[in-house]
Amino acid sequence: MRTEIPADSPRLGIIRRYFDRLPVSESTPIVTLHEGGTPLIRSARLSEEVDAEVWLKYEGLNPTGSFKDRGMTVAISKALEDGSRAVVCASTGNTSASAAAYAGRAGLVCAVLIPRGNVALGKLSQALAHDARVLEIDGNFDVALNLTKEMATAYPITLVNSVNPHRIEGQKTGAFEVVEDLGRAPDLHVMPVGNAGNITAYWRGYREAQQAGWSGTLPKMYGFQAAGANPIVRGEAMSDPRTVATAIRIGNPASWSGASEAADSSGGAIGSVRDKEIVEAYRNLAAEGIFVELASAAGVAGLRQLKERGLVPPGATVTCVLTGHGLKDPDWAIAGAARPKLVPAEVRPILQELELA
Ligand code: F0G
């Protein structure tokens, strides 16, 4: 039996779900993969560790495996509405995976510029599978982003990086969902920062949720860069950012001012965490059943740092955004683990090997 999906169902995708709060109209052709509606999962282990209520917004469960889909559904729908025939993006991987999928759905050509050798296998496989025109640039993400900006200025191509305001609009819906699930905004909101679009978007979302009367309060916003790629913390752009978390290997974030504004006006901060701490948080999350990519673990590593610095009030409600799925980077997951051992196809030796008999 076919039933009508209720107008407030998360299964509708974020444009239909939050139609009145997004830059769309009845004439916007909605390009959706039913993104959003991702779970907010309580972490028993982290809650105990930092003596707070820690909730994980698992954005890896979006259609292409990252939070980018929230912004991409709006950016691609608007590109189609505006008569665009091609879109372009620079990417450390996830933006390109998302752009390729949504552009494919809309019938638009998708061009992707990626930094040479620094895109995780899963993300590259997505862009290729969705038939994007993928070009490797002999330079890092920041170089690639500048090239795409030039292309979009001089030619009729729509830029779908988060400098496109429709991306930020779509991504703010992550904050709406957190507020819906908690019944109010959290006390602290913690997340990774790369190009700084997402922290800009969440802050906007929380403020709009407050204005709409959904929450009486606003969270303190804490964003974390990797220590080898932390231009905002240093206060100057970096020409050679380095981190194992390739998704946030960015030396000159496009939404720098948005990130600073979120941190400053909320009473939070932008900090940085070492690669070692990111890897540890990644492993701990996986041990709790939650598979994320390295960059996504930067927020959780950051939460630990906040705890050490006495910045997590006992019993506080904390949300951490887990931005991308662990399957994005299978090489990394395998590299850190023991290879499966070959055993005879018999029960006894298997049980012996498992030390269960
Ligand atoms: N986490 C993941 C998994 C990401 O892919 C990104 C950014 C971020 C965090 C940081 O978000 O840029 O809004 O501050 N990835 C971009 C990309 C740069 O090209 O996929 P941000």
Side-chain angles (χ1 to χ4, degrees):
M1 189 178 71
R2 208 187 134 91
T3 53
E4 190 90 339
I5 300 176
D8 63 350
S9 167
R11 286 185 292 138
L12 285 172
I14 63 118
I15 296 183
R16 291 199 179 93
R17 175 85 178 80
Y18 298 108
F19 194 83
D20 295 341
R21 302 193 173 272
L22 293 169
V24 289
S25 69
E26 295 298 340
S27 53
T28 309
I30 299 175
V31 183
T32 180
L33 287 162
H34 300 252
E35 57 295 310
T38 56
L40 190 65
I41 305 171
R42 183 176 180 278
S43 168
R45 294 186 198 176
L46 282 166
S47 296
E48 192 184 285
E49 184 185 331
V50 303
D51 187 21
E53 283 298 308
V54 181
W55 296 89
L56 306 171
K57 182 68 170 158
Y58 193 16
E59 287 290 276
L61 294 191
N62 274 296
T64 77
S66 85
F67 70 96
K68 306 286 180 180
D69 295 341
R70 294 180 185 275
M72 208 53 77
T73 181
V74 183
I76 297 291
S77 297
K78 293 300 284 185
L80 199 60
E81 182 178 2
D82 297 341
S84 181
R85 287 167 52 201
V87 299
V88 66
C89 67
S91 184
T92 56
N94 281 322
T95 297
S96 58
S98 186
Y102 284 80
R105 208 161 165 74
L108 301 176
V109 172
C110 178
V112 167
L113 304 189
I114 55 171
R116 185 172 166 186
N118 273 298
V119 169
L121 188 67
K123 305 177 190 185
L124 185 59
S125 73
Q126 289 178 287
L128 295 173
H130 296 305
D131 238 356
R133 305 288 306 272
V134 182
L135 301 174
E136 258 193 334
I137 298 301
D138 192 10
N140 60 27
F141 170 84
D142 304 284
V143 173
L145 182 59
N146 284 336
L147 289 168
T148 58
K149 283 184 189 165
E150 265 183 56
M151 287 166 66
T153 307
Y155 299 91
I157 311 173
T158 304
L159 183 59
V160 294
N161 280 100
S162 57
V163 291
N164 178 329
H166 301 314
R167 281 275 315 277
I168 305 288
E169 281 292 305
Q171 285 171 210
K172 76 184 179 190
T173 61
F176 293 171
E177 291 178 10
V178 169
V179 170
E180 275 168 13
D181 285 359
L182 294 176
R184 65 175 183 96
D187 301 310
L188 309 185
H189 176 95
V190 188
M191 63 194 298
V193 170
N195 212 23
N198 211 26
I199 191 168
T200 305
Y202 265 86
W203 179 232
R204 185 182 297 174
Y206 282 125
R207 278 183 313 178
E208 287 188 18
Q210 190 196 34
Q211 282 154 15
W214 300 341
S215 174
T217 59
L218 288 167
K220 286 191 164 72
M221 300 288 293
Y222 288 99
F224 286 90
Q225 304 186 298
N230 61 348
I232 302 178
V233 175
R234 286 167 196 242
E236 60 179 355
M238 299 170 73
S239 57
D240 189 17
R242 279 167 195 271
T243 168
V244 289
T246 52
I248 53 171
R249 191 173 190 261
I250 292 174
N252 191 13
S255 298
W256 187 316
S257 61
S260 303
E261 213 260 316
D264 295 347
S265 50
S266 72
I270 306 295
S272 47
V273 283
R274 285 177 297 145
D275 279 0
K276 212 175 115 217
E277 295 163 330
I278 294 176
V279 172
E280 197 186 336
Y282 164 90
R283 295 219 172 99
N284 296 153
L285 285 164
E288 205 177 346
I290 302 167
F291 196 21
V292 300
E293 61 173 287
L294 283 171
S296 305
V300 170
L303 172 61
R304 289 188 165 140
Q305 189 190 96
L306 294 177
K307 177 65 185 174
E308 272 165 34
R309 289 162 51 199
L311 293 171
V312 183
T317 299
V318 182
T319 46
C320 287
V321 186
L322 304 179
T323 46
H325 202 286
L327 286 172
K328 293 275 189 177
D329 194 353
D331 287 330
W332 180 267
I334 292 170
R339 305 295 295 177
K341 195 168 175 182
L342 185 66
V343 290
E346 290 163 41
V347 170
R348 213 156 207 340
I350 292 174
L351 289 174
Q352 274 166 358
E353 187 58 41
L354 295 172
E355 290 167 22
L356 292 173

